[in-house]
Amino acid sequence: LSNSNKYECLYKKWDIYIPFIEHSLKILKDDGFFGMIIPYPFIDQEYAKIMRKTILNRYCKKSKCSL
């Protein structure tokens, strides 16, 4: 997956749920909602940094999103 250039959020020693999140967000309809139970390390680990930034910058409305 890392070498396929299909996912832009894979970073360092990424965990398998990162591409699932990215793909789910790509197919999300405008004004759609996305929910997923993910491991706690997503909040503060280096490998999830790009995914966190992507979620906050592209998919969150300030009044509805927190990480």
Side-chain angles (χ1 to χ4, degrees), residues 16-63:
I16 191 66
Y17 61 88
I18 299 292
F20 282 100
I21 294 171
E22 186 171 346
H23 181 72
S24 298
L25 291 171
K26 284 180 181 178
I27 63 173
L28 186 66
K29 293 181 181 181
D30 291 342
D31 293 323
F33 289 91
F34 170 73
M36 185 175 186
I37 298 171
I38 56 174
Y40 180 78
F42 179 79
I43 301 297
D44 63 358
Q45 293 298 307
E46 188 72 18
Y47 69 83
K49 178 171 70 172
I50 295 173
M51 186 81 257
R52 290 191 304 267
K53 285 183 181 181
T54 300
I55 290 170
L56 290 173
N57 293 332
R58 294 187 194 167
Y59 299 101
C60 285
K61 295 182 180 178
K62 291 183 181 182
S63 61

